[in-house]
Structure formats: C-alpha cells, structure tokens
Amino acid sequence: RTEKMLRAALFALVISSATAFVTIPGEAAVRPVGRDSTVQCMSGGGKSGKSALCILAEGFEEMEAVTPIDLLRRAGVEVTIASLTTDIIVKGRNGISVFANMDLDSALKLRESYDAVIVPGGPPAVPSVGTLKSDARVLSLLNEQMNAGRVVSAICAAPSVLAEAGVLAGKKYTAHFSVADAVPDFDKTSAVVVDGNLVTSQGAGTGTQFGLALIEQLVDKQTAEEVAASICWK
C-alpha cells in the first residue's frame, strides 16, 4: 500500500511540475519532465538544433551517462536516453535507476539519425559480460554513425564495444585500463581523445571532460567553455 501511495504521489508531482527531478525511495530514479512540448519533455534540450542518443543497459556506470547527458542538455543539445530493453527504468551499477525516454527500438524510429551516439561504460560494456557488444542493433548503429561521419562516442569500457563494431580501425582513442586486452592500442595518458568524429574517454572520473568535448564537437568551443564556467569547472 505504501509503495502504491508513493507512486501515486510521484505521478502527481510529475504532472504538476514544469520541470521536476523525482526519486522513489530505494530506486533513486531520475527523469526531467517539462510541459513546453512533447519532444522537449521526452528528450530535453534542443535549442542548439543538435541531437544525441545515449544508450543505457542495466548495470551502466551512472556518472558516465548522467554527466554527459546533463552537460549536453545545458548546451541545448536534444538528448534522447534509450533503454537497451523495453524496461524504461534502467538500474546502474551503483543502484541508481534512471528513467529512459524510450526503448532503443523506439529511439531508432523516432529519428532517421542522431548527430551523436553516446555509449557509457560499466558491466554491460565489459567484453566478458558482452551485453552491448552482442546487440546487433548497437553494432549496426555504430557502424552507420561512423560511416556517415556523425559523432561516435564511448567512455570507460565502452570503447571495447566500438572495437567489436569495427569503428576503431585507424583511429586514436582511449579507454579504461581494465579493457586493455580488447583495445590494446588505447592512449593510456589522455582523459579524452578526439579523432575526427570519434570521441573517447577513460572513465567515470573523466565524465565532465567527456561531456565538454562532446559539446565542442556538436555545438562549438565557446559553448563548451561557457558551460564549463557555469559549473565552475577548472
């Protein structure tokens, strides 16, 4: 009964708020909700005219997803959060659950293409787990994105998924040291590596640099610097 009451209260808060971040005890689920328009409510941002798709699978590394999503939305990029499965609530590796905007199939139907695709790390990206690298939709999307010259990005263990998709060939990139066997040529010293339309980063601690690099790629350097200043990033 208590859970039902909490969920009813949550629903009422979502409906009544212009913009709300809401949590369920034990779930810490987060979803921004606005009343301006359906598209804005579903995916956030949009003022820059650029779009990004962030793919979440259960066990994703929360900081590596939420940080770039947040920064990109601050820069006016319309970010769609897509769950790999039909379960819209996706639980991260540290027990923080995020409300995706929609499942991946729906996100792929929503737009013909996205200006950027973001793949966070965490267990789903680890080669021995293989959740992401075994999903044909993800591999196909990454290939299409790279071949079209649109931004492909990954952080932490996720560059190993890019390797599986075959999009790292001839590119400079970085990754988390834990996936060195899958990406042996990774840059071990750089927090973020940008090579053409490829953006990669080392891990949770470099999430802010990753997000700012994406803003620079999708919008411009000035906007990246303005967002960095607004969050007191030094």
Side-chain angles (χ1 to χ4, degrees):
R1 182 180 178 183
T2 301
E3 183 177 353
K4 289 182 178 179
M5 291 176 66
L6 284 170
R7 290 186 179 277
L10 170 63
F11 180 76
L13 177 61
V14 168
I15 294 300
S16 63
S17 299
T19 301
F21 283 87
V22 293
T23 62
I24 302 173
E27 281 287 271
V30 181
R31 185 179 188 178
V33 179
R35 291 189 297 199
D36 293 340
S37 70
T38 302
V39 174
Q40 294 286 67
C41 172
M42 291 178 67
S43 52
K47 295 179 182 178
S48 72
K50 297 293 185 177
S51 63
L53 174 66
C54 184
I55 303 171
L56 300 187
E58 185 172 356
F60 72 95
E61 184 69 60
E62 294 95 333
M63 290 175 64
E64 296 167 7
V66 174
T67 301
I69 289 169
D70 177 285
L71 293 173
L72 286 167
R73 287 183 173 179
R74 289 172 190 260
V77 176
E78 187 175 329
V79 183
T80 298
I81 307 170
S83 170
L84 192 69
T85 70
T86 55
D87 189 349
I88 298 303
I89 299 178
V90 189
K91 183 176 286 188
R93 68 173 298 173
N94 296 303
I96 302 172
S97 294
V98 173
F99 275 99
N101 301 121
M102 61 194 72
D103 62 74
L104 183 57
D105 285 336
S106 297
L108 294 176
K109 293 175 182 176
L110 180 66
R111 286 179 174 272
E112 184 176 337
S113 64
Y114 291 84
D115 295 304
V117 171
I118 306 165
V119 187
V126 173
S128 60
V129 177
T131 305
L132 290 169
K133 77 171 187 177
S134 62
D135 192 300
R137 298 170 302 171
V138 173
L139 300 184
S140 176
L141 174 63
L142 292 172
N143 266 289
E144 290 175 8
Q145 192 79 1
M146 179 59 72
N147 291 335
R150 297 186 292 268
V151 174
V152 173
S153 64
I155 182 170
C156 194
S160 67
V161 180
L162 272 54
E164 185 70 20
V167 301
L168 294 183
K171 293 283 189 177
K172 295 178 181 179
Y173 59 90
T174 189
H176 194 269
F177 58 82
S178 64
V179 292
D181 288 345
V183 286
D185 297 324
F186 77 104
D187 183 330
K188 300 175 179 61
T189 61
S190 301
V192 176
V193 174
V194 178
D195 186 355
N197 61 322
L198 177 68
V199 182
T200 52
S201 190
Q202 291 178 321
T206 62
T208 299
Q209 289 127 300
F210 181 54
L212 293 173
L214 285 170
I215 293 174
E216 188 167 341
Q217 288 292 301
L218 290 173
V219 188
D220 53 46
K221 185 175 182 179
Q222 181 180 339
T223 301
E225 290 174 347
E226 290 172 354
V227 171
S230 76
I231 61 171
C232 300
W233 176 256
K234 297 179 181 179

